[in-house]
Each structure stands twice: as C-alpha cells, then as structure tokens.
Amino acid sequence: MLRQVAEGVLIHQSEFCQSNAVVVHGRVGVLLIDPGILGYEMAALADNLRELGQPVVAGFSTHPHWDHLLWHARLGAAPRYGTARCAATARNLLSDARWKARIAEWIPPDIAEQVPLDLLGFITGLPAETARIPWDGPQARIIEHQAHAPGHAALLIEERGVLIAGDMLSDVLIPMLDLNDSADPIEDYLAALRLLEGVAGDVDVLVPGHGSIGGADQVHTRIGQDRGYVRALRDARVPSDPRLGPSATYDWLPGVHEGQLQRLARRSERDGTPGWRSSIEDS
Ligand SMILES: [Zn+2]
C-alpha cells in the first residue's frame, strides 16, 4: 500500500481528497507525517509497518486542520509533534466541549463514520526555534510559516531531497488562505511561497498534502501557480488557474474561490483599505 517516492521515503494516498501520508525510514522505526484520514486506511498502514518491523517512532502534523491531525490506536503511542502554534491551535480546538460537532461540519457526511476522531489533535508542540524534528532518522527541517493555517510547517528531508509541503503547492487544490487567524493573509501566503522558493533548489521530490507527487521541475511551476492565484485573488482578478477550470479535479473549488474573494472584500471594506494594500512584494 506504500509507494516509494525517494530512498527511504514512502507515501500512502488516501481515497479522501488525494491526501498524502508520508513515511520516512529512520534507524529503528519511522517518522509518520499527516497519517491519513480513514480509519481502515490508517489501520492498514499500521499493520503494514508492523509487518515490515518498522514501528512508528515519531509523528508530525503539518498544520492544525482536522484532516492532518488524525491518528489511529494501532499506530502506537509515539510522540506526535507539530509547531508550537499548531499544537496550541489544536489544544484550543479540543478545549471546546462541542469540538466534535464543529469538526463534523468539515467532514463530508459520506465518510464521517470512517474518520476516527478519538485521537485527533494530541500534538506535542515543538518550541518556536526548533529547526528539526527530534528523532533518530534523516534530518527533517521544519519550515514554519503562517499561510493556510496557524503554525503551518513544511518539512524538508534534506538527505533525501524531499519537500513535504503540507497544504501548499498542490496540483489539485487552490491556495486556501487563513482568513481567521492572519492579519494579512495575502502577504502571509506570499511570504510562505518565498520561503519554499528559498529551498526549492534542494528539492527532487515534492509531496503536497493533497494531490500528486511532483519532481524537481514541478517545484517552481507550482510555486508560480500558487503565487499567480494569490495575486489574482489580491487584485480581485479572475485567476487563470487549471485547478479552477473545466479540467479541474474538484468541482467545489470555484465555490471556495468565491468565498475567499468575498471575505477578502469584506476585510478591506472593514479596514477601509483596498485589498491590494496588503502586498509589500510584487515582483
Ligand atoms: Zn489544511
């Protein structure tokens, strides 16, 4: 069920929204990033790893959205890391007595019964200055930024040339901005793309949170595509983006796009500033 994308790095793609779980082989076990969505998929992954004699020795959630915070009992009790802001956001979510109902609003009803929520969000926050995941395996550099969700982190497995991008650089999903927590969601997103661009030269394999795996050539292409979308959104232009066009994978994305446009328009009305004011960078 696992597909190798680089030496010692394997993925499992969920039936739900092409979500990619990533397994990185270490010395005595694996690092598991964004473990999956459906209970039977995570259980099968756990069994598969056990058969290979590869226990999960560490977990990591790229960001505090439900589909990146799940876990299955069969995966064991390894520490599950995230950035400090990711962990704090998850804790905050779980402190609401109605959290399951709140999350249920986001889960498509047809899969709701197959998504195990009991272990959702038990994330150990890594102190803000932590550069790498503490584990016994290839170094996983944490690239934290504030696009898409609070405390979102991409991971760069430097020795393997693999960038695990979380919910950025997808070939099927448009950029979804953090319109709740960010004071300047457009600029935060553009800044995050610049950060990823800064490591692009070290990347041979790009693993987005949702969508297909890209080679080295795809890194700049997808950064450019995401940047083009975010700038179009900022300027309230119609984006020419294949992820929204007639050949798009998901027909609900134009609705997401419209929603982002409207919320950004409301923000700039409220702030008394045109939307484009937020951008410092435009080259
Ligand atoms: Zn997300």
Side-chain angles (χ1 to χ4, degrees):
M1 70 180 295
L2 286 165
R3 176 157 78 90
Q4 177 157 313
V5 297
E7 189 196 332
V9 182
L10 304 97
I11 64 148
H12 173 258
Q13 191 168 78
S14 173
E15 289 168 34
F16 171 76
C17 208
Q18 299 184 34
S19 306
N20 294 313
V22 186
V23 168
V24 183
H25 282 277
R27 215 169 52 82
V28 294
V30 304
L31 165 66
L32 176 59
I33 301 144
D34 292 351
I37 312 294
L38 306 174
Y40 67 86
E41 290 177 336
M42 284 189 282
L45 174 60
D47 293 348
N48 200 314
L49 291 171
R50 191 171 304 126
E51 281 158 25
L52 296 169
Q54 294 287 334
V56 178
V57 294
F60 189 82
S61 284
T62 55
H63 64 287
H65 286 165
W66 72 270
D67 51 334
H68 300 261
L69 291 174
L70 295 162
W71 195 259
H72 193 285
R74 300 237 285 264
L75 292 167
R80 296 159 57 189
Y81 299 115
T83 64
R85 283 195 74 191
C86 171
T89 305
R91 246 193 330 274
N92 189 33
L93 170 78
L94 296 175
S95 69
D96 181 342
R98 296 158 299 140
W99 71 269
K100 280 192 180 172
R102 284 179 57 193
I103 283 184
E105 289 172 24
W106 293 93
I107 303 179
D110 57 318
I111 62 160
E113 283 188 5
Q114 297 165 62
V115 179
L117 295 179
D118 291 340
L119 296 174
L120 180 143
F122 299 146
I123 304 298
T124 301
L126 295 167
E129 65 281 7
T130 308
R132 292 181 170 80
I133 295 179
W135 85 297
D136 191 4
Q139 293 194 343
R141 199 206 302 178
I142 299 168
I143 303 170
E144 182 174 357
H145 56 74
Q146 304 308 330
H148 182 67
H152 191 297
L155 294 177
L156 180 64
I157 316 292
E158 291 165 301
E159 290 163 50
R160 307 284 185 250
V162 177
L163 178 66
I164 296 150
D167 278 4
M168 313 263 299
L169 312 187
S170 171
D171 59 330
V172 292
L173 299 183
I174 52 171
M176 296 182 200
L177 278 56
D178 182 1
L179 296 167
N180 295 318
D181 309 281
S182 170
D184 196 343
I186 294 276
E187 178 50 32
D188 279 347
Y189 214 101
L190 293 172
L193 290 172
R194 288 195 294 273
L195 266 184
L196 298 181
E197 197 166 41
V199 301
D202 301 324
V203 179
D204 300 317
V205 178
L206 164 66
V207 183
H210 308 273
S212 35
I213 309 307
D217 58 314
Q218 275 287 305
V219 182
H220 284 289
T221 303
R222 293 196 194 177
I223 290 171
Q225 188 165 264
D226 277 3
R227 185 177 281 147
Y229 173 82
V230 174
R231 286 180 178 164
L233 191 62
R234 174 194 68 193
D235 302 337
R237 277 186 283 111
V238 179
S240 75
D241 193 308
R243 297 168 294 188
L244 289 168
S247 61
T249 307
Y250 298 113
D251 60 4
W252 43 269
L253 285 174
V256 171
H257 169 61
E258 276 305 314
Q260 299 199 111
L261 261 183
Q262 286 167 15
R263 288 188 62 188
L264 283 166
R266 276 205 297 276
R267 282 172 80 106
S268 60
E269 249 169 52
R270 189 192 61 205
D271 302 346
T273 52
W276 44 261
R277 183 203 62 98
S278 20
S279 177
I280 298 162
E281 171 264 5
D282 194 15
S283 55

